[in-house]
Amino acid sequence: MRRALLLSLMIFFLSLSAVSALTVYSYDSLEPLAEESFGKFTEQTGIDVEFRAVGDSGSLLSLIISEREKFDGDVVIGIDNLLSRRAFEEDIFLSYRPMGFERIISNDLLLDEEWRLTPYDFGSIALICNGSQIEESISTLWDLTKPEFERSVIIQDPRTSSTGLSFLAWTYLLFGERFEEFWRALTPSILTVSLSWDDAFQKFESGEAPIMVSYATDGAYSKHYYGESIYSTVIPEGKGYVQVEGAGIIKWTDNLEEAKLFMDFILSEDFQSHIPLNQWMFPVIEVEMPPAFDYAVKPQKILKLSADVDLSKLIETWEEVIYER
C-alpha cells in the first residue's frame, strides 16, 4: 500500500513537472498588460507564462509566417481584423472557441466563424493633436494636406504596424477612388513614418510633431495620467474605423491544452478588466470601466472594409506614393 502511494505521488509530481511554460508572443506595448494579468493565470492553473514581444503586430505576423513550424510560440496576442486576413490565408492558427465566448458584447467584434482568432479588445482609429502647437482645426482628413500642416503628422508604417494598416484602410473608406490622390497630397504633411505605435507616440510626446495617428481613447489616457485631456482627439466627420484585436493558438504548439486554458483566461474578467488602463482600448466583455473612459471619443458612424478590397494593392499604392518608385 505504501509503495503504491509513493508511486502515485511520484507520477503526480512528474506530471506537474512535465507541464511546459506557455510561450505567448505579442507586440511591445502589450507588455504592461502581460505583467499585470498573466500572474493570475499562473496562480489559477500552475502554468508559467513566458511573454515575448516583437515590435508591432505586422512584424510579429511576418515572423510567424517566415518561421512557420520553427516558430516557438504557443499563443499569439494582437492580430487585428485586417492582419487576420493574411493570417488565415497562411493557415497559422488552430480553431478553438474559448469558454466565456457568449459574454462577448457584440457579434460585430467576431473575427472568424471558425474561431481561429478570439477578439479581446477594440477601439476606433483617430487623430490626436497637441493644441498648443497647432491653431488650425481639422474637419476632414483632407484638411491635413493644407500647407500649414507641412511636416506636422506622424503616421505608422502599414507594412509593420496594425495601427498604420488601420489608418490606410480608414483613408480608403473615406476617399475611395481618390485614395491615391489623398496620399499624394498628404505626403508633404508627414514628418515621419514610424515602424510602430510605440515609436510614434514617443516622438509625439517629445513634441516632434503636433499630430499623430492613434486611437479615440487617448483622451481617457490623458485624463487618467494628467488629470485633464491635454490632447484633443479627432474623428473627422464622425466617420471612424474600428480596430478589433484578437488572440489565437499557433497551429504547431506542443502545449495545446495549456494554450486552450490561456484562451479561456483571455475572455475572463481577470484579464479583460486590465485592458482599459493598459491597452487604452475597450474590453470585449462587460467589465467595470474606469472613470477616465468618460473622455474616450466614439465615432458617430463605423466604417467597415469589404472583404473584396485587396489590402496588398492598397499597400502597394501607398509604397509607390510615399517612396516615389
Side-chain angles (χ1 to χ4, degrees):
M1 177 69 71
R2 186 177 177 185
R3 290 181 63 187
L5 177 60
L6 286 173
L7 182 60
S8 297
L9 287 172
M10 287 177 63
I11 293 171
F12 174 74
F13 285 114
L14 282 171
S15 66
L16 284 180
S17 63
V19 174
S20 301
L22 200 66
T23 303
V24 176
Y25 274 81
S26 189
Y27 44 75
D28 290 340
S29 59
L30 192 117
E31 188 164 359
L33 174 61
E35 290 178 351
E36 193 170 293
S37 64
F38 286 7
K40 189 68 174 178
F41 173 75
T42 300
E43 180 184 318
Q44 293 171 353
T45 64
I47 301 168
D48 290 328
V49 180
E50 182 179 347
F51 176 75
R52 297 182 186 176
V54 179
D56 213 312
S57 297
S59 302
L60 175 55
L61 181 59
S62 295
L63 174 67
I64 300 167
I65 291 170
S66 66
E67 293 190 350
R68 298 192 71 80
E69 292 91 341
K70 295 179 181 178
F71 182 70
D72 62 351
D74 300 301
V75 173
V76 170
I77 303 176
I79 305 301
D80 73 358
N81 40 343
L82 293 180
L83 290 174
S84 66
R85 297 185 182 193
R86 187 181 177 202
F88 297 152
E89 288 173 359
E90 297 288 343
D91 191 25
I92 60 177
F93 290 112
L94 290 173
S95 296
Y96 177 65
R97 187 169 65 179
M99 290 178 59
F101 74 92
E102 68 280 353
R103 298 179 66 189
I104 295 174
I105 58 178
S106 172
N107 286 336
D108 288 339
L109 298 175
L110 301 184
L111 293 165
D112 177 34
E113 292 182 355
E114 298 178 36
W115 289 89
R116 288 167 292 183
L117 285 173
T118 295
Y120 66 90
D121 72 10
F122 67 99
S124 177
I125 299 296
L127 301 175
I128 56 172
C129 309
N130 188 332
S132 65
Q133 292 180 272
I134 56 173
E135 298 179 358
E136 188 78 15
S137 62
I138 301 171
S139 299
T140 73
L141 283 187
W142 206 276
D143 287 340
L144 295 178
T145 66
K146 294 178 180 178
E148 49 263 46
F149 290 115
E150 184 177 0
R151 293 180 60 78
S152 295
V153 184
I154 300 171
I155 67 171
Q156 298 85 11
D157 194 324
R159 299 168 300 182
T160 59
S161 167
S162 59
T163 313
L165 186 58
S166 293
F167 182 64
L168 194 72
W170 190 24
T171 60
Y172 176 80
L173 288 166
L174 287 172
F175 302 118
E177 293 181 358
R178 299 187 70 192
F179 168 79
E180 182 175 348
E181 180 187 349
F182 166 76
W183 276 98
R184 290 195 182 280
L186 181 67
T187 300
S189 299
I190 298 172
L191 173 71
T192 188
V193 180
S194 295
L195 292 177
S196 68
W197 181 91
D198 274 353
D199 182 47
F201 192 65
Q202 289 175 14
K203 289 179 169 61
F204 176 77
E205 279 211 309
S206 66
E208 292 188 30
I211 303 169
M212 171 187 162
V213 174
S214 190
Y215 294 91
T217 52
D218 278 66
Y221 175 92
S222 295
K223 178 65 177 177
H224 180 75
Y225 282 108
Y226 308 119
E228 60 179 332
S229 293
I230 60 175
Y231 306 130
S232 59
T233 304
V234 181
I235 301 178
E237 303 175 87
K239 299 174 182 178
Y241 176 81
V242 171
Q243 181 186 37
V244 182
E245 295 187 296
I249 301 173
I250 290 294
K251 187 175 182 179
W252 305 283
T253 179
D254 292 325
N255 301 300
L256 179 57
E257 295 309 312
E258 293 88 345
K260 287 180 178 180
L261 288 174
F262 190 81
M263 293 298 296
D264 296 344
F265 174 73
I266 282 176
L267 288 185
S268 72
E269 193 167 337
D270 287 326
F271 180 81
Q272 290 281 308
S273 62
H274 293 286
I275 284 174
L277 296 184
N278 285 290
Q279 291 298 95
W280 299 101
M281 300 277 271
F282 289 95
V284 298
I285 69 170
E286 293 287 351
V287 300
E288 184 176 352
M289 296 295 290
F293 266 70
D294 292 342
Y295 293 82
V297 177
K298 294 182 179 179
Q300 298 167 9
K301 181 179 181 181
I302 294 176
L303 306 177
K304 292 187 176 183
L305 193 69
S306 167
D308 297 332
V309 176
D310 189 335
L311 283 173
S312 62
K313 288 186 177 179
L314 292 186
I315 293 173
E316 184 179 327
T317 300
W318 178 87
E319 287 178 324
E320 290 173 353
V321 171
I322 296 296
Y323 299 108
E324 290 293 338
R325 292 182 178 180

